[in-house]
Every structure is written in structure tokens, then in C-alpha cells.
């Protein structure tokens, strides 16, 4: 029991340190392909998904954003992890798509799951907000996953939107400025 308490304390400390680092924007930026970041996040979360019978489907193509590869991997991993953890108890699905849309690099993560009220979804990016009870009790989390995602998106001058899916589950869309835009804007100033 003490080991579990210690592991949760370490996880919470790491998450808070990451939030602090992101909020200070203390990271270097470079072109990052969101499709490759999404693939890596899926590889990291695949054992968890397989363990719980959740299928992950990826689509899309090249979507270059200007940012930190490690932070954007953290963002994608948090989204995929949440999509697996907050899924149906059996035969759930996670859909991940990358695209360029309206001048933005876009990462979309959707999952099956229980129906969510819009009022609840509006609070999910608040720190320590857990929403509904998790189906997967082996990954309790600390309630910072979507708060970290929101902070990373904001630190990259991007946006995050969450909406409940009509049949249950959640649709999360991250929009980031395309690679190179920051450099062009900096030269124009």
C-alpha cells in the first residue's frame, strides 16, 4: 500500500513540475510532425489498450507544428491514455487523426465511452478534475492529464477543444500553429 501511495505522490509531483515548466514556456521549438508524435503515443499506450480490449485506429497525414517534440508527445500520450482509460468496459475504440486544416496543424483524438454532459466536459481541463469514474481502476491518475494538455497547447500558441460525442465518449481537438509561422511572424515584427 505504501508503494502505491509513493508512486501516486511521484506521479503527482512529476505532473506538477511539468505544468510549471510548460507555464513558463521554458522549451525550445522546432518543426514537429504531429502524425509521428501520434504514432509514438499509440506505441506507448498500445499495451494498455490491448490489456483492456480497446482498439486504436489512426488516420491522417503530415501535420507540421512548431513546438517541443517531448511536450507534444506528452500531450498526445495524455490524450490517448485518457481515451483508453475513459472508454467502454469492453470493445472500445479510440480514433486518432492528424491533418492540416485552416492553416493549423490538427490532432484529433476521439473515443467510445459513456455519454457525457456538456457541463461536465467544460470542466475537464481544470486541474484535479476527474469527470466521471474511470472504467480502468488500474490507472487512477491524478486529475492533471487534460490540464497538462491544455497548458501544453496554450504554451504552443494553440487551442484545445473538447466536446461530447453523441453516442458517448469524447472528441478532443488540438490546433497548433504550423511549423515556420513563428519564425515568419518574428521577422515581420
Amino acid at each position: 500500500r505504501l508503494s502505491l501511495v509513493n508512486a501516486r505522490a511521484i506521479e503527482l509531483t512529476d505532473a506538477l513540475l511539468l505544468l510549471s515548466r510548460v507555464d513558463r514556456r521554458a522549451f525550445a521549438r522546432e518543426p514537429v510532425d504531429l502524425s509521428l508524435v501520434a504514432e509514438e503515443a499509440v506505441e506507448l499506450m498500445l499495451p494498455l489498450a490491448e490489456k483492456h480490449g480497446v482498439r486504436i485506429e489512426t488516420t491522417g497525414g503530415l501535420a507540421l507544428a512548431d513546438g517541443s517534440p517531448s511536450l507534444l508527445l506528452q500531450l498526445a500520450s495524455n490524450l490517448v491514455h485518457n481515451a483508453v482509460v475513459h472508454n467502454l468496459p469492453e470493445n472500445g475504440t479510440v480514433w486518432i487523426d492528424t491533418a492540416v486544416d485552416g492553416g493549423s496543424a490538427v490532432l484529433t483524438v476521439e473515443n467510445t465511452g459513456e455519454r457525457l454532459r456538456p457541463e461536465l466536459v467544460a470542466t475537464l481541463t481544470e486541474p484535479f478534475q476527474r469527470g466521471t469514474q474511470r472504467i480502468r481502476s488500474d490507472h487512477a491518475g491524478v486529475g492533471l492529464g487534460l490540464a497538462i494538455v491544455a497548458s501544453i497547447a496554450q504554451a504552443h500558441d494553440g487551442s484545445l477543444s473538447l466536446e461530447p460525442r453523441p453516442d458517448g465518449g469524447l472528441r478532443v481537438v488540438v490546433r497548433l500553429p504550423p511549423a515556420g509561422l513563428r519564425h515568419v511572424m518574428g521577422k515581420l515584427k
Side-chain angles (χ1 to χ4, degrees), residues 76-140:
S77 296
N78 283 13
L79 290 177
V80 176
H81 180 268
N82 279 354
V84 170
V85 171
H86 295 285
N87 215 304
L88 297 173
E90 293 178 355
N91 302 317
T93 304
V94 173
W95 298 276
I96 301 164
D97 183 63
T98 56
V100 175
D101 180 44
S104 296
V106 181
L107 170 66
T108 304
V109 178
E110 297 185 61
N111 69 315
T112 52
E114 67 181 78
R115 285 202 167 111
L116 301 171
R117 295 182 334 274
E119 307 82 48
L120 172 67
V121 171
T123 67
L124 291 179
T125 59
E126 295 174 12
F128 306 109
Q129 175 65 21
R130 293 181 183 217
T132 61
Q133 290 289 43
R134 284 178 162 78
I135 301 295
R136 317 282 180 223
S137 60
D138 58 341
H139 282 83

Side-chain angles (χ1 to χ4, degrees), residues 20-40:
S20 171
R21 180 175 151 224
V22 169
D23 287 344
R24 289 191 324 266
R25 295 182 180 224
F27 56 89
R29 294 174 188 256
E30 62 185 76
V32 179
D33 181 0
L34 293 181
S35 68
L36 296 178
V37 168
E39 283 180 24
E40 190 172 348

Side-chain angles (χ1 to χ4, degrees), residues 25 27 32-34 44 52 62 73 133 146 170 180 183:
R25 295 182 180 224
F27 56 89
V32 179
D33 181 0
L34 293 181
L44 290 170
H52 296 292
L62 183 70
L73 176 59
Q133 290 289 43
L146 286 175
L170 188 65
H183 304 295

